[in-house]
Amino acid sequence: MKTKVVADQHRKVVVVGAGSVGATYCYALAQSGLASEIVLIDRNDKLVKGQVLDLVHGQPFFPPVIIRSGTESDYADAQLVVITAGAAQKPGETRLQLLKKNADIVGGIAEAVSKQRCSGVMLIVSNPVDVLTYVALKRSGWARGRIIGSGTVLDSARFRHLLGQHCNVDVHNVHAYFLGEHGDSEFAAWSMTHVAGIPVGEYCKLCGNCPGWKEQRKAIEQQVRDSAAHIINSKGSTYFAVGLALVKITGSILRNQHSVLTVSTYLDGEYGIKDVCLSVPCVVSFRGIEKIIDTPLAPDELVSLLYSADILHHAIDSLTPEA
Ligand SMILES: NC(=O)c1ccc[n+]([C@@H]2O[C@H](COP(=O)([O-])OP(=O)(O)OC[C@H]3O[C@@H](n4cnc5c(N)ncnc54)[C@H](O)[C@@H]3O)[C@@H](O)[C@H]2O)c1
């Protein structure tokens, strides 16, 4: 593997949106030592000032890093711009109205980043992440590899956690992916799932410890889909694990790590799908998406991926003025 570390020099990350996800990501990123400068931007000045002050007080405990608030001009020399800005659903507001509002927010930011002639990568986190990744791609005019959605990286982590618990093995020895829409139609790619390097079905036979594996498989898959709703019901929003998932993606970009991650990307014929962003396994480097791993899926998995694409096409169509 080629290792061109972006590196010793300036590693600037601009985070747009200083809410729960943006601030938690900044906190985890500062601890990771990956960035030399973290710039936080939010339309709520008071909030961004408070978040920055709280974070800089951690500097004696972080590896060296500059943390400050910023403006649009900061996009110009950023290696990575992470967009977590978004509006929350208001009472009486429909999902479509919220989608349109967030598309305007993220599309406007993507355009501003592009205007500053940033040569880095944009990472979209705001939901619905696949649709907003598509919007950012179109509004920025950038090549598709430079616009990444956090996609199902978080869902794949939840899946690995549950499988690790189920098999009673270290989560690091579980290789597993959730693909498709970051949302209700996402699905487990069981054909790619390995425990201790062994296909999960074979591992289960060796273990011989779990009767009714087919039902348990379904339950695990559903648990992953329901995770966000459970957390939101309990504490209002999710931010810790997504913050860490974003640090993982950031590391692969800033360290040119070529990690295989289920990020959301624009498909142009891969898996027989066109003109939509969704999650499939991708190699992520300092250039963004270096390669989309286009590999045969099990027939039922391909049906699920096409179904996700269909749902996302409809959501994208709903954004057009005549819809
Ligand atoms: N992709 C994932 O896996 C994942 C996981 C969790 C949350 N999310 C999404 O991340 C987003 C942020 O979540 P949160 O909990 O931090 O929300 P939040 O409401 O706490 O923060 C959003 C922030 O965006 C700011 N903002 C809105 N418009 C802006 C603009 N035009 N410019 C700059 N800042 C602007 C707001 O002032 C607010 O501080 C949501 O869309 C949420 O659904 C995604």
Side-chain angles (χ1 to χ4, degrees), residues 16-22 41-44 47 84-88 102 105 109 124-129 132 150-151 154-155 182 237-239 242:
V16 193
S20 309
V21 174
I41 297 177
D42 197 291
R43 66 177 172 195
N44 180 342
L47 175 70
T84 74
N102 280 334
I105 292 173
I109 296 166
I124 315 301
V125 188
S126 314
N127 274 322
V129 68
L132 298 184
S150 59
L154 172 60
D155 315 84
H182 173 65
S237 58
T238 73
Y239 38 88
V242 66

PDB file of all heavy atoms in Angstrom, residues 16-22 41-44 47 84-88 102 105 109 124-129 132 150-151 154-155 182 237-239 242, ligand 1:
ATOM      1  N   VAL A  16     -18.493  22.257  10.278  1.00  0.00           N
ATOM      2  CA  VAL A  16     -19.625  23.183  10.184  1.00  0.00           C
ATOM      3  C   VAL A  16     -20.805  22.562  10.920  1.00  0.00           C
ATOM      4  O   VAL A  16     -21.282  21.488  10.558  1.00  0.00           O
ATOM      5  CB  VAL A  16     -20.006  23.471   8.716  1.00  0.00           C
ATOM      6  CG1 VAL A  16     -20.961  24.670   8.653  1.00  0.00           C
ATOM      7  CG2 VAL A  16     -18.770  23.716   7.875  1.00  0.00           C
ATOM      8  N   GLY A  17     -21.241  23.261  11.970  1.00  0.00           N
ATOM      9  CA  GLY A  17     -22.298  22.728  12.851  1.00  0.00           C
ATOM     10  C   GLY A  17     -21.671  22.393  14.193  1.00  0.00           C
ATOM     11  O   GLY A  17     -20.900  21.433  14.309  1.00  0.00           O
ATOM     12  N   ALA A  18     -21.967  23.234  15.191  1.00  0.00           N
ATOM     13  CA  ALA A  18     -21.344  23.064  16.514  1.00  0.00           C
ATOM     14  C   ALA A  18     -22.326  22.449  17.511  1.00  0.00           C
ATOM     15  O   ALA A  18     -22.215  22.660  18.715  1.00  0.00           O
ATOM     16  CB  ALA A  18     -20.846  24.417  17.023  1.00  0.00           C
ATOM     17  N   GLY A  19     -23.296  21.700  17.000  1.00  0.00           N
ATOM     18  CA  GLY A  19     -24.257  21.038  17.891  1.00  0.00           C
ATOM     19  C   GLY A  19     -23.661  19.786  18.506  1.00  0.00           C
ATOM     20  O   GLY A  19     -22.424  19.658  18.612  1.00  0.00           O
ATOM     21  N   SER A  20     -24.513  18.851  18.895  1.00  0.00           N
ATOM     22  CA  SER A  20     -24.046  17.659  19.617  1.00  0.00           C
ATOM     23  C   SER A  20     -23.040  16.848  18.803  1.00  0.00           C
ATOM     24  O   SER A  20     -21.998  16.435  19.320  1.00  0.00           O
ATOM     25  CB  SER A  20     -25.227  16.753  19.952  1.00  0.00           C
ATOM     26  OG  SER A  20     -26.239  17.493  20.571  1.00  0.00           O
ATOM     27  N   VAL A  21     -23.359  16.621  17.521  1.00  0.00           N
ATOM     28  CA  VAL A  21     -22.475  15.774  16.700  1.00  0.00           C
ATOM     29  C   VAL A  21     -21.173  16.516  16.382  1.00  0.00           C
ATOM     30  O   VAL A  21     -20.078  15.962  16.545  1.00  0.00           O
ATOM     31  CB  VAL A  21     -23.198  15.330  15.397  1.00  0.00           C
ATOM     32  CG1 VAL A  21     -22.247  14.592  14.475  1.00  0.00           C
ATOM     33  CG2 VAL A  21     -24.395  14.439  15.737  1.00  0.00           C
ATOM     34  N   GLY A  22     -21.288  17.780  15.953  1.00  0.00           N
ATOM     35  CA  GLY A  22     -20.091  18.548  15.597  1.00  0.00           C
ATOM     36  C   GLY A  22     -19.142  18.689  16.776  1.00  0.00           C
ATOM     37  O   GLY A  22     -17.932  18.477  16.646  1.00  0.00           O
ATOM     38  N   ILE A  41     -17.422  26.155  12.928  1.00  0.00           N
ATOM     39  CA  ILE A  41     -18.288  27.207  12.379  1.00  0.00           C
ATOM     40  C   ILE A  41     -19.739  26.840  12.682  1.00  0.00           C
ATOM     41  O   ILE A  41     -20.113  25.672  12.570  1.00  0.00           O
ATOM     42  CB  ILE A  41     -18.099  27.320  10.843  1.00  0.00           C
ATOM     43  CG1 ILE A  41     -16.669  27.732  10.501  1.00  0.00           C
ATOM     44  CG2 ILE A  41     -19.107  28.290  10.221  1.00  0.00           C
ATOM     45  CD1 ILE A  41     -16.377  27.808   8.992  1.00  0.00           C
ATOM     46  N   ASP A  42     -20.536  27.817  13.074  1.00  0.00           N
ATOM     47  CA  ASP A  42     -21.974  27.592  13.266  1.00  0.00           C
ATOM     48  C   ASP A  42     -22.671  28.930  13.083  1.00  0.00           C
ATOM     49  O   ASP A  42     -22.086  29.982  13.351  1.00  0.00           O
ATOM     50  CB  ASP A  42     -22.248  27.045  14.682  1.00  0.00           C
ATOM     51  CG  ASP A  42     -23.629  26.404  14.795  1.00  0.00           C
ATOM     52  OD1 ASP A  42     -24.647  27.142  14.743  1.00  0.00           O
ATOM     53  OD2 ASP A  42     -23.699  25.168  14.918  1.00  0.00           O
ATOM     54  N   ARG A  43     -23.919  28.885  12.621  1.00  0.00           N
ATOM     55  CA  ARG A  43     -24.643  30.159  12.476  1.00  0.00           C
ATOM     56  C   ARG A  43     -25.025  30.725  13.848  1.00  0.00           C
ATOM     57  O   ARG A  43     -25.362  31.891  13.968  1.00  0.00           O
ATOM     58  CB  ARG A  43     -25.858  30.003  11.584  1.00  0.00           C
ATOM     59  CG  ARG A  43     -26.945  29.132  12.135  1.00  0.00           C
ATOM     60  CD  ARG A  43     -28.127  29.105  11.197  1.00  0.00           C
ATOM     61  NE  ARG A  43     -29.104  28.120  11.640  1.00  0.00           N
ATOM     62  CZ  ARG A  43     -30.093  27.676  10.890  1.00  0.00           C
ATOM     63  NH1 ARG A  43     -30.234  28.101   9.661  1.00  0.00           N
ATOM     64  NH2 ARG A  43     -30.937  26.796  11.365  1.00  0.00           N
ATOM     65  N   ASN A  44     -24.963  29.878  14.871  1.00  0.00           N
ATOM     66  CA  ASN A  44     -25.234  30.317  16.237  1.00  0.00           C
ATOM     67  C   ASN A  44     -23.897  30.700  16.902  1.00  0.00           C
ATOM     68  O   ASN A  44     -23.148  29.863  17.396  1.00  0.00           O
ATOM     69  CB  ASN A  44     -25.915  29.166  16.982  1.00  0.00           C
ATOM     70  CG  ASN A  44     -26.244  29.511  18.421  1.00  0.00           C
ATOM     71  OD1 ASN A  44     -25.685  30.462  18.975  1.00  0.00           O
ATOM     72  ND2 ASN A  44     -27.129  28.742  19.024  1.00  0.00           N
ATOM     73  N   LEU A  47     -23.224  29.759  20.611  1.00  0.00           N
ATOM     74  CA  LEU A  47     -22.951  28.337  20.800  1.00  0.00           C
ATOM     75  C   LEU A  47     -21.517  28.000  20.386  1.00  0.00           C
ATOM     76  O   LEU A  47     -20.789  27.318  21.124  1.00  0.00           O
ATOM     77  CB  LEU A  47     -23.936  27.494  19.971  1.00  0.00           C
ATOM     78  CG  LEU A  47     -23.682  25.983  19.989  1.00  0.00           C
ATOM     79  CD1 LEU A  47     -23.993  25.384  21.360  1.00  0.00           C
ATOM     80  CD2 LEU A  47     -24.511  25.268  18.917  1.00  0.00           C
ATOM     81  N   THR A  84     -21.921  19.005   9.671  1.00  0.00           N
ATOM     82  CA  THR A  84     -22.886  18.416  10.621  1.00  0.00           C
ATOM     83  C   THR A  84     -24.026  19.400  10.880  1.00  0.00           C
ATOM     84  O   THR A  84     -24.810  19.219  11.807  1.00  0.00           O
ATOM     85  CB  THR A  84     -22.218  18.050  11.973  1.00  0.00           C
ATOM     86  OG1 THR A  84     -21.970  19.261  12.694  1.00  0.00           O
ATOM     87  CG2 THR A  84     -20.921  17.293  11.800  1.00  0.00           C
ATOM     88  N   ALA A  85     -24.092  20.463  10.080  1.00  0.00           N
ATOM     89  CA  ALA A  85     -25.117  21.501  10.284  1.00  0.00           C
ATOM     90  C   ALA A  85     -26.473  20.989   9.815  1.00  0.00           C
ATOM     91  O   ALA A  85     -26.564  20.281   8.819  1.00  0.00           O
ATOM     92  CB  ALA A  85     -24.741  22.754   9.501  1.00  0.00           C
ATOM     93  N   GLY A  86     -27.493  21.349  10.551  1.00  0.00           N
ATOM     94  CA  GLY A  86     -28.825  20.946  10.117  1.00  0.00           C
ATOM     95  C   GLY A  86     -29.873  21.548  11.014  1.00  0.00           C
ATOM     96  O   GLY A  86     -29.582  22.044  12.105  1.00  0.00           O
ATOM     97  N   ALA A  87     -31.099  21.547  10.503  1.00  0.00           N
ATOM     98  CA  ALA A  87     -32.217  22.035  11.304  1.00  0.00           C
ATOM     99  C   ALA A  87     -32.912  20.836  11.925  1.00  0.00           C
ATOM    100  O   ALA A  87     -32.968  19.766  11.319  1.00  0.00           O
ATOM    101  CB  ALA A  87     -33.172  22.797  10.397  1.00  0.00           C
ATOM    102  N   ALA A  88     -33.438  21.008  13.124  1.00  0.00           N
ATOM    103  CA  ALA A  88     -34.210  19.936  13.765  1.00  0.00           C
ATOM    104  C   ALA A  88     -35.660  20.054  13.297  1.00  0.00           C
ATOM    105  O   ALA A  88     -36.108  21.148  12.916  1.00  0.00           O
ATOM    106  CB  ALA A  88     -34.112  20.074  15.272  1.00  0.00           C
ATOM    107  N   ASN A 102     -32.952  21.188   5.041  1.00  0.00           N
ATOM    108  CA  ASN A 102     -31.580  20.707   5.227  1.00  0.00           C
ATOM    109  C   ASN A 102     -30.812  20.658   3.907  1.00  0.00           C
ATOM    110  O   ASN A 102     -29.595  20.862   3.883  1.00  0.00           O
ATOM    111  CB  ASN A 102     -31.573  19.346   5.937  1.00  0.00           C
ATOM    112  CG  ASN A 102     -31.766  19.523   7.436  1.00  0.00           C
ATOM    113  OD1 ASN A 102     -31.435  20.575   7.995  1.00  0.00           O
ATOM    114  ND2 ASN A 102     -32.332  18.534   8.094  1.00  0.00           N
ATOM    115  N   ILE A 105     -29.561  24.100   3.468  1.00  0.00           N
ATOM    116  CA  ILE A 105     -28.432  24.385   4.376  1.00  0.00           C
ATOM    117  C   ILE A 105     -27.156  23.729   3.847  1.00  0.00           C
ATOM    118  O   ILE A 105     -26.129  24.389   3.631  1.00  0.00           O
ATOM    119  CB  ILE A 105     -28.742  23.880   5.812  1.00  0.00           C
ATOM    120  CG1 ILE A 105     -29.869  24.713   6.440  1.00  0.00           C
ATOM    121  CG2 ILE A 105     -27.494  23.923   6.691  1.00  0.00           C
ATOM    122  CD1 ILE A 105     -30.365  24.204   7.787  1.00  0.00           C
ATOM    123  N   ILE A 109     -23.759  25.399   2.044  1.00  0.00           N
ATOM    124  CA  ILE A 109     -22.403  25.262   2.607  1.00  0.00           C
ATOM    125  C   ILE A 109     -21.463  24.655   1.549  1.00  0.00           C
ATOM    126  O   ILE A 109     -20.337  25.122   1.359  1.00  0.00           O
ATOM    127  CB  ILE A 109     -22.426  24.394   3.892  1.00  0.00           C
ATOM    128  CG1 ILE A 109     -23.240  25.092   4.995  1.00  0.00           C
ATOM    129  CG2 ILE A 109     -21.000  24.112   4.389  1.00  0.00           C
ATOM    130  CD1 ILE A 109     -23.609  24.211   6.171  1.00  0.00           C
ATOM    131  N   ILE A 124     -20.033  14.705   4.511  1.00  0.00           N
ATOM    132  CA  ILE A 124     -21.387  15.108   4.897  1.00  0.00           C
ATOM    133  C   ILE A 124     -21.894  14.157   5.979  1.00  0.00           C
ATOM    134  O   ILE A 124     -21.789  12.924   5.837  1.00  0.00           O
ATOM    135  CB  ILE A 124     -22.362  15.046   3.683  1.00  0.00           C
ATOM    136  CG1 ILE A 124     -21.729  15.662   2.429  1.00  0.00           C
ATOM    137  CG2 ILE A 124     -23.702  15.693   4.032  1.00  0.00           C
ATOM    138  CD1 ILE A 124     -21.297  17.089   2.528  1.00  0.00           C
ATOM    139  N   VAL A 125     -22.453  14.736   7.034  1.00  0.00           N
ATOM    140  CA  VAL A 125     -22.949  13.937   8.157  1.00  0.00           C
ATOM    141  C   VAL A 125     -24.443  14.192   8.391  1.00  0.00           C
ATOM    142  O   VAL A 125     -25.185  13.307   8.815  1.00  0.00           O
ATOM    143  CB  VAL A 125     -22.166  14.286   9.448  1.00  0.00           C
ATOM    144  CG1 VAL A 125     -22.525  13.334  10.577  1.00  0.00           C
ATOM    145  CG2 VAL A 125     -20.668  14.271   9.200  1.00  0.00           C
ATOM    146  N   SER A 126     -24.884  15.420   8.095  1.00  0.00           N
ATOM    147  CA  SER A 126     -26.277  15.815   8.355  1.00  0.00           C
ATOM    148  C   SER A 126     -27.233  14.862   7.643  1.00  0.00           C
ATOM    149  O   SER A 126     -26.945  14.379   6.547  1.00  0.00           O
ATOM    150  CB  SER A 126     -26.527  17.238   7.845  1.00  0.00           C
ATOM    151  OG  SER A 126     -25.472  18.087   8.235  1.00  0.00           O
ATOM    152  N   ASN A 127     -28.374  14.630   8.260  1.00  0.00           N
ATOM    153  CA  ASN A 127     -29.368  13.696   7.721  1.00  0.00           C
ATOM    154  C   ASN A 127     -30.468  14.407   6.940  1.00  0.00           C
ATOM    155  O   ASN A 127     -30.797  15.553   7.265  1.00  0.00           O
ATOM    156  CB  ASN A 127     -30.001  12.918   8.885  1.00  0.00           C
ATOM    157  CG  ASN A 127     -29.177  11.709   9.248  1.00  0.00           C
ATOM    158  OD1 ASN A 127     -28.628  11.041   8.372  1.00  0.00           O
ATOM    159  ND2 ASN A 127     -29.092  11.426  10.543  1.00  0.00           N
ATOM    160  N   PRO A 128     -31.058  13.710   5.983  1.00  0.00           N
ATOM    161  CA  PRO A 128     -30.761  12.351   5.527  1.00  0.00           C
ATOM    162  C   PRO A 128     -29.457  12.344   4.719  1.00  0.00           C
ATOM    163  O   PRO A 128     -29.389  12.950   3.645  1.00  0.00           O
ATOM    164  CB  PRO A 128     -31.962  11.973   4.662  1.00  0.00           C
ATOM    165  CG  PRO A 128     -32.557  13.274   4.228  1.00  0.00           C
ATOM    166  CD  PRO A 128     -32.194  14.317   5.247  1.00  0.00           C
ATOM    167  N   VAL A 129     -28.465  11.655   5.247  1.00  0.00           N
ATOM    168  CA  VAL A 129     -27.089  11.844   4.774  1.00  0.00           C
ATOM    169  C   VAL A 129     -26.894  11.482   3.304  1.00  0.00           C
ATOM    170  O   VAL A 129     -26.145  12.155   2.600  1.00  0.00           O
ATOM    171  CB  VAL A 129     -26.094  11.098   5.704  1.00  0.00           C
ATOM    172  CG1 VAL A 129     -26.229   9.600   5.622  1.00  0.00           C
ATOM    173  CG2 VAL A 129     -24.673  11.519   5.402  1.00  0.00           C
ATOM    174  N   LEU A 132     -28.362  14.286   1.156  1.00  0.00           N
ATOM    175  CA  LEU A 132     -27.592  15.529   1.303  1.00  0.00           C
ATOM    176  C   LEU A 132     -26.192  15.390   0.695  1.00  0.00           C
ATOM    177  O   LEU A 132     -25.611  16.375   0.229  1.00  0.00           O
ATOM    178  CB  LEU A 132     -27.529  15.941   2.777  1.00  0.00           C
ATOM    179  CG  LEU A 132     -28.913  16.244   3.385  1.00  0.00           C
ATOM    180  CD1 LEU A 132     -28.785  16.735   4.825  1.00  0.00           C
ATOM    181  CD2 LEU A 132     -29.686  17.277   2.564  1.00  0.00           C
ATOM    182  N   SER A 150     -21.095  10.171   5.517  1.00  0.00           N
ATOM    183  CA  SER A 150     -20.684   9.227   6.584  1.00  0.00           C
ATOM    184  C   SER A 150     -21.456   7.908   6.461  1.00  0.00           C
ATOM    185  O   SER A 150     -21.007   6.880   6.967  1.00  0.00           O
ATOM    186  CB  SER A 150     -20.886   9.845   7.965  1.00  0.00           C
ATOM    187  OG  SER A 150     -22.240  10.193   8.146  1.00  0.00           O
ATOM    188  N   GLY A 151     -22.591   7.951   5.759  1.00  0.00           N
ATOM    189  CA  GLY A 151     -23.294   6.737   5.346  1.00  0.00           C
ATOM    190  C   GLY A 151     -23.555   5.742   6.463  1.00  0.00           C
ATOM    191  O   GLY A 151     -24.049   6.114   7.538  1.00  0.00           O
ATOM    192  N   LEU A 154     -21.393   4.184  10.804  1.00  0.00           N
ATOM    193  CA  LEU A 154     -21.898   4.015  12.170  1.00  0.00           C
ATOM    194  C   LEU A 154     -22.717   2.723  12.301  1.00  0.00           C
ATOM    195  O   LEU A 154     -22.556   1.968  13.272  1.00  0.00           O
ATOM    196  CB  LEU A 154     -22.756   5.234  12.533  1.00  0.00           C
ATOM    197  CG  LEU A 154     -23.532   5.193  13.846  1.00  0.00           C
ATOM    198  CD1 LEU A 154     -22.584   5.039  15.027  1.00  0.00           C
ATOM    199  CD2 LEU A 154     -24.358   6.472  14.014  1.00  0.00           C
ATOM    200  N   ASP A 155     -23.553   2.448  11.313  1.00  0.00           N
ATOM    201  CA  ASP A 155     -24.399   1.245  11.362  1.00  0.00           C
ATOM    202  C   ASP A 155     -23.538  -0.018  11.294  1.00  0.00           C
ATOM    203  O   ASP A 155     -23.837  -1.015  11.965  1.00  0.00           O
ATOM    204  CB  ASP A 155     -25.396   1.272  10.200  1.00  0.00           C
ATOM    205  CG  ASP A 155     -26.032   2.646  10.072  1.00  0.00           C
ATOM    206  OD1 ASP A 155     -25.409   3.514   9.428  1.00  0.00           O
ATOM    207  OD2 ASP A 155     -27.096   2.880  10.646  1.00  0.00           O
ATOM    208  N   HIS A 182     -28.566   5.056   4.694  1.00  0.00           N
ATOM    209  CA  HIS A 182     -28.449   5.229   6.148  1.00  0.00           C
ATOM    210  C   HIS A 182     -29.869   5.563   6.613  1.00  0.00           C
ATOM    211  O   HIS A 182     -30.267   6.725   6.666  1.00  0.00           O
ATOM    212  CB  HIS A 182     -27.465   6.355   6.478  1.00  0.00           C
ATOM    213  CG  HIS A 182     -27.426   6.708   7.945  1.00  0.00           C
ATOM    214  ND1 HIS A 182     -26.995   5.853   8.919  1.00  0.00           N
ATOM    215  CD2 HIS A 182     -27.783   7.843   8.589  1.00  0.00           C
ATOM    216  CE1 HIS A 182     -27.090   6.442  10.095  1.00  0.00           C
ATOM    217  NE2 HIS A 182     -27.564   7.660   9.928  1.00  0.00           N
ATOM    218  N   SER A 237     -30.676  12.512  21.261  1.00  0.00           N
ATOM    219  CA  SER A 237     -29.912  12.447  20.011  1.00  0.00           C
ATOM    220  C   SER A 237     -28.719  11.516  20.184  1.00  0.00           C
ATOM    221  O   SER A 237     -28.370  11.144  21.310  1.00  0.00           O
ATOM    222  CB  SER A 237     -29.424  13.839  19.592  1.00  0.00           C
ATOM    223  OG  SER A 237     -28.622  14.411  20.592  1.00  0.00           O
ATOM    224  N   THR A 238     -28.096  11.154  19.050  1.00  0.00           N
ATOM    225  CA  THR A 238     -26.922  10.266  19.113  1.00  0.00           C
ATOM    226  C   THR A 238     -25.695  11.082  18.735  1.00  0.00           C
ATOM    227  O   THR A 238     -25.770  11.886  17.794  1.00  0.00           O
ATOM    228  CB  THR A 238     -27.052   9.084  18.121  1.00  0.00           C
ATOM    229  OG1 THR A 238     -26.868   9.571  16.793  1.00  0.00           O
ATOM    230  CG2 THR A 238     -28.402   8.412  18.216  1.00  0.00           C
ATOM    231  N   TYR A 239     -24.606  10.916  19.445  1.00  0.00           N
ATOM    232  CA  TYR A 239     -23.403  11.682  19.098  1.00  0.00           C
ATOM    233  C   TYR A 239     -22.070  11.017  19.439  1.00  0.00           C
ATOM    234  O   TYR A 239     -21.081  11.249  18.753  1.00  0.00           O
ATOM    235  CB  TYR A 239     -23.436  13.097  19.692  1.00  0.00           C
ATOM    236  CG  TYR A 239     -24.025  13.202  21.087  1.00  0.00           C
ATOM    237  CD1 TYR A 239     -23.240  13.048  22.210  1.00  0.00           C
ATOM    238  CD2 TYR A 239     -25.383  13.480  21.265  1.00  0.00           C
ATOM    239  CE1 TYR A 239     -23.789  13.164  23.487  1.00  0.00           C
ATOM    240  CE2 TYR A 239     -25.938  13.581  22.531  1.00  0.00           C
ATOM    241  CZ  TYR A 239     -25.135  13.422  23.646  1.00  0.00           C
ATOM    242  OH  TYR A 239     -25.679  13.519  24.903  1.00  0.00           O
ATOM    243  N   VAL A 242     -21.121   8.219  16.615  1.00  0.00           N
ATOM    244  CA  VAL A 242     -20.963   8.850  15.304  1.00  0.00           C
ATOM    245  C   VAL A 242     -19.707   9.727  15.306  1.00  0.00           C
ATOM    246  O   VAL A 242     -18.970   9.777  14.319  1.00  0.00           O
ATOM    247  CB  VAL A 242     -22.228   9.627  14.855  1.00  0.00           C
ATOM    248  CG1 VAL A 242     -22.538  10.827  15.696  1.00  0.00           C
ATOM    249  CG2 VAL A 242     -22.084  10.053  13.398  1.00  0.00           C
TER     250      VAL A 242
HETATM  251  N1  LIG B   1     -24.887  10.372   9.565  1.00  0.00           N
HETATM  252  C1  LIG B   1     -24.977   9.906  10.805  1.00  0.00           C
HETATM  253  O1  LIG B   1     -24.582   8.761  11.086  1.00  0.00           O
HETATM  254  C2  LIG B   1     -25.578  10.806  11.849  1.00  0.00           C
HETATM  255  C3  LIG B   1     -25.637  10.413  13.206  1.00  0.00           C
HETATM  256  C4  LIG B   1     -26.172  11.293  14.136  1.00  0.00           C
HETATM  257  C5  LIG B   1     -26.676  12.520  13.715  1.00  0.00           C
HETATM  258  N2  LIG B   1     -26.623  12.853  12.392  1.00  0.00           N
HETATM  259  C6  LIG B   1     -27.139  14.133  11.898  1.00  0.00           C
HETATM  260  O2  LIG B   1     -26.182  15.144  12.164  1.00  0.00           O
HETATM  261  C7  LIG B   1     -26.849  16.409  12.175  1.00  0.00           C
HETATM  262  C8  LIG B   1     -26.451  17.187  13.421  1.00  0.00           C
HETATM  263  O3  LIG B   1     -26.979  16.561  14.565  1.00  0.00           O
HETATM  264  P1  LIG B   1     -26.858  17.294  15.999  1.00  0.00           P
HETATM  265  O4  LIG B   1     -27.428  16.361  16.985  1.00  0.00           O
HETATM  266  O5  LIG B   1     -25.482  17.824  16.146  1.00  0.00           O
HETATM  267  O6  LIG B   1     -27.864  18.523  15.765  1.00  0.00           O
HETATM  268  P2  LIG B   1     -27.830  19.921  16.560  1.00  0.00           P
HETATM  269  O7  LIG B   1     -29.171  20.528  16.323  1.00  0.00           O
HETATM  270  O8  LIG B   1     -27.326  19.727  17.927  1.00  0.00           O
HETATM  271  O9  LIG B   1     -26.723  20.774  15.742  1.00  0.00           O
HETATM  272  C9  LIG B   1     -26.928  21.278  14.464  1.00  0.00           C
HETATM  273  C10 LIG B   1     -26.197  22.616  14.395  1.00  0.00           C
HETATM  274  O10 LIG B   1     -26.221  23.060  13.025  1.00  0.00           O
HETATM  275  C11 LIG B   1     -26.227  24.495  13.105  1.00  0.00           C
HETATM  276  N3  LIG B   1     -26.629  25.052  11.809  1.00  0.00           N
HETATM  277  C12 LIG B   1     -27.837  24.993  11.211  1.00  0.00           C
HETATM  278  N4  LIG B   1     -27.768  25.637  10.016  1.00  0.00           N
HETATM  279  C13 LIG B   1     -26.511  26.069   9.862  1.00  0.00           C
HETATM  280  C14 LIG B   1     -25.826  26.773   8.826  1.00  0.00           C
HETATM  281  N5  LIG B   1     -26.451  27.150   7.697  1.00  0.00           N
HETATM  282  N6  LIG B   1     -24.526  27.035   9.008  1.00  0.00           N
HETATM  283  C15 LIG B   1     -23.877  26.686  10.137  1.00  0.00           C
HETATM  284  N7  LIG B   1     -24.473  26.010  11.164  1.00  0.00           N
HETATM  285  C16 LIG B   1     -25.761  25.713  11.007  1.00  0.00           C
HETATM  286  C17 LIG B   1     -27.207  24.795  14.219  1.00  0.00           C
HETATM  287  O11 LIG B   1     -27.049  26.100  14.721  1.00  0.00           O
HETATM  288  C18 LIG B   1     -26.835  23.706  15.244  1.00  0.00           C
HETATM  289  O12 LIG B   1     -25.885  24.175  16.188  1.00  0.00           O
HETATM  290  C19 LIG B   1     -28.353  16.089  12.109  1.00  0.00           C
HETATM  291  O13 LIG B   1     -28.798  16.252  10.762  1.00  0.00           O
HETATM  292  C20 LIG B   1     -28.427  14.637  12.524  1.00  0.00           C
HETATM  293  O14 LIG B   1     -29.565  13.979  12.006  1.00  0.00           O
HETATM  294  C21 LIG B   1     -26.076  12.041  11.468  1.00  0.00           C
END
